[in-house]
């Protein structure tokens, strides 16, 4: 099942060429629709995109004549684990309008190395950990020497394996980066024993909303459930394979992890009891998406990957999948986009702390909208990550819209004790009001009434330090708007 | 547009007969499906309903041979305004399996009497208020003599016009009442000036989540937006007609209402400024539903209609509309069901305090499930209001699952200062876990993982004293369950 992304496939070259040709077709069709949009009505009454014809023209004028395609594999050299940083060396430089395929690896693959790492050179290079060496040493925004808690380099203060960053030429603070998710596919298991399958791990962990509220013994406990996802594309649901209770795990450096306090600790399956035959017949609808897509924030040199913020990051909204478009405010030169935390599925709330954490490969088109071209457009003043799907627009509220500036010098630790859904709802309300008052030119009273009778507020997640609420508004609400 | 429910229509008799004939057909089709269900597989692996074949048989065995149809109009004599009470005299007694059409009136009709009351005998009788007399004197659970705040009888501590109660013969505490919503239709405006239309009011009021967070002047303010709904059934969207800012209103008894502190105060339109041409072209998708359907609680003689609780009431979930089925635990003899707070539309959160409050008429079938028949069924131990739609099951979490017992003797006032979305999310999580562990026989670990990767949590409302979060699970998740 090589889709041109499996270098171990004997027909890799052929598959890769086929993939690129398919992409070229996709690209041409994209160009065609962009052209149609640009030739459409000058006034913006609602439409299918936040990008007005004028913005599309302005963005196109700044792209090179030919779109390029890039491929960024996930290896020990191309990932940063557990943090964002404006100081990171870009893995690739691309132009606005270019396409890029980014491989992403789940940071929960060590829960079952047999199913999620073995035989996969990229994953093996990242997860390499012997008594002498780690493929990726630093995991998290904590000190490199683990002087804080002794858990390991980076201290696990931040957990996601992020591939990137991608440097977008010409991107500057104040611009908006449009990220179109062209395709998302599970990363097939490379272990021949499980051919045609992909796997993910769901950890009911100590940071879950459920953890102090268990009713059966032993309490508390952390439980990992391994799910199987069909990598051949014929089934749109996942099913549980087995679960086990976390037991203290000794990592190759000799540190004992009583709880899931550091990412990528290999689970020794001789120490756990696998319960097979669980969730019998239960089919989890898959919603492949990226928990993390974000740009580097400007506020600090190294930023924990867990709390989402104004430049995106760990938003954990399952709607950020194939066909969706994200808009992010650019905070640093080159934008510095990274992707990670791939999920096969998640429900709104991510209750127990994680999704079905499952490696995915995504293909994206990145389009830069320069600050100078934003005046009077729907994206003027955008200072939060915005999601557009085929039929909806969504704003993402967080307990703290930009916790790095709001919570002072200790923001990165403070954020973990200050969040509530109420605060995130407040922020989502304010952002939707802002969206309607600016993008749709409504008065505050009009916006508030419309929000109340036409917007749905859902709980994105309550497990990422900075909790999230999203507000959804259907595009066809504006179907009658003519000017 | 008389659907057999407009006694002023010159063809009322004919229309009423046609309506009843249509209903009979509907009933026969219902019976057929119930029969099919009863003849289906004995084991319950998931299916389309929480009612197992065995439960259906047991319930059917206790119904009279023939289903009856009842009609409960909304008049000053058939409504109770602003409270539930186990002491209320039933308006009608029905048998399990019977159908009943219940007219419901919005308690916001006095925001525009011309459009929502004038010419409608039922509404006029309820809203009658001269210097000497009120059609319905008591409005709310407060003292009849208004000795608390002087706002009026009942003090507006509870606001919804509820039609009922309906006494279900044989219903006893511990039973479950299944309420099938067969049909919902807007109540057409009776003023010939607005023929073919229906109207609703959206009040952005002092109890709204937005109220202390306004950004434009004057602050604070209450704003009423009047919406027009198509009563002919050809358009599935509502549009705004005008809005106005609330000004102090003097009621016919001479009490001045500086804010919206008492329901049914007639707005003198000479004192307000109507802004027409607002929300131009904006189309609000209609989602006709009942904000309030509930049974009388046992805990107190008179209970404020605003906070929802274990017997339902003001849940304010827009999914409680046509085609939906609710299951309620019966708390008192006869169940004592009332319906009110009709909404043309609402978004999850009901942000500004109210929906598009619009009179509706509903047709229901009520089916009683006796406690003795519940052992081992999906509805055993049900102590919360549960919603079933065609494709989903939903549990309703509240900040306090049963605030009347949890918050002590002052529960009815305490509830207004103690709610949070976080608490409601906690309750929704617990109820969904309970549902999956009992109904689906999952272990706690299975339930928690499934909740995380397969359930969506949304914010039902943050304006009803006892705030709400609903958890949604798709029925097809269990499509592969065979036993």
């Amino acid at each position: 099942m090589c889709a041109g992304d499996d270098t171990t496939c004997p027909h890799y070259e052929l598959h890769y060429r086929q993939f690129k040709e398919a992409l070229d077709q996709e690209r041409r069709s994209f160009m065609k629709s962009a052209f149609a949009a640009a030739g459409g009505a000058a006034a913006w009454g609602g439409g299918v995109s936040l990008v007005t014809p004028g913005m599309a023209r302005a963005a196109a004028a700044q792209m090179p004549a030919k779109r390029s395609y890039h491929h960024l594999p996930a290896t020990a050299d191309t990932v940063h684990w557990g943090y964002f940083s404006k100081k990171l060396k870009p893995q690739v430089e691309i132009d606005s309008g270019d396409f890029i395929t980014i491989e992403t690896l789940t940071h929960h693959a060590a829960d079952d190395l047999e199913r999620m790492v073995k035989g996969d050179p990229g994953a093996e290079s990242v997860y390499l950990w012997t008594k002498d060496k780690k493929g990726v040493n630093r995991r998290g925004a904590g000190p490199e020497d683990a002087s804080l808690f002794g858990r390991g380099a980076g201290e696990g203060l931040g957990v996601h394996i992020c591939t990137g960053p991608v440097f977008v030429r010409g991107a500057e603070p104040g611009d908006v980066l449009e990220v179109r998710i062209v395709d998302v596919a599970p990363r097939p298991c490379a272990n021949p024993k499980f051919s045609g399958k992909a796997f993910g791990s769901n950890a009911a962990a100590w940071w879950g909303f459920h953890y102090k509220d268990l009713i059966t013994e032993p309490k508390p406990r952390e439980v990992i459930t391994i799910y199987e996802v069909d990598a051949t594309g014929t089934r749109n649901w996942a099913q549980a394979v087995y679960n086990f209770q976390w037991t203290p795990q000794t990592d190759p450096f000799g540190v004992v992890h009583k709880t899931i306090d550091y990412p990528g600790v290999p689970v020794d399956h001789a120490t756990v009891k696998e319960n097979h035959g669980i969730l019998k017949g239960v089919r989890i609808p898959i919603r492949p998406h990226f928990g993390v897509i974000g740009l580097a924030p400007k506020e600090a040199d190294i930023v924990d990957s867990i709390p989402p913020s104004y430049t995106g990051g760990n938003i954990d909204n399952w709607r950020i999948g194939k066909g969706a478009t994200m808009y992010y405010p650019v905070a640093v030169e080159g934008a510095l986009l990274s992707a990670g935390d791939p999920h096969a599925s998640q429900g709104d709330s991510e209750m127990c702390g994680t999704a079905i954490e499952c490696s995915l490969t995504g293909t994206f088109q990145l389009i830069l909208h320069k600050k100078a071209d934003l005046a009077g457009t729907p994206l003027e003043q955008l200072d939060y990550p915005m999601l557009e799907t085929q039929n909806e627009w969504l704003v993402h509220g967080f307990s703290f819209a930009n916790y790095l500036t709001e919570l002072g010098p200790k923001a990165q630790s403070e954020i973990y004790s200050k969040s509530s859904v109420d605060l995130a709802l407040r922020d989502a309300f304010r952002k939707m009001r802002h969206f309607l008052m600016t993008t749709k030119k409504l008065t505050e009273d009009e916006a508030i009434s419309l929000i109340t009778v036409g917007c749905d507020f859902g709980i994105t997640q309550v497990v990422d330090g900075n909790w999230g609420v999203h507000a959804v508004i259907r595009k066809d609400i504006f179907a009658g708007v003519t000017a």
Side-chain angles (χ1 to χ4, degrees), chain A residues 16 19-20 23 67-72 92-95 98-102 169 363-364:
Chain A
Y16 183 67
F19 172 74
K20 280 202 66 172
L23 196 76
R67 304 290 84 75
S68 296
Y69 166 74
H70 312 263
H71 182 101
L72 186 56
V92 57
E93 280 196 25
I94 74 171
D95 288 307
D98 282 359
F99 293 81
I100 182 166
T101 293
I102 304 178
R169 287 188 193 106
T363 297
F364 309 88

Side-chain angles (χ1 to χ4, degrees), chain A residues 81 105-118 123 126-129 139 161 201 224 226 242 244 246 249 252 262-269 357 359:
Chain A
W81 195 327
L105 296 176
T106 173
H107 54 292
H108 282 270
D111 293 340
D112 187 334
L113 291 162
E114 278 279 306
R115 286 180 170 84
M116 291 185 273
V117 175
K118 194 175 175 176
V126 171
Y127 274 93
L128 173 73
W129 193 350
R139 304 178 185 183
I161 301 172
S201 170
I224 306 277
I226 302 296
Y242 67 93
F244 65 88
W246 184 270
Q249 296 294 320
Y262 192 75
V265 171
V267 171
D268 176 359
H269 279 251
E357 310 281 331
S359 299

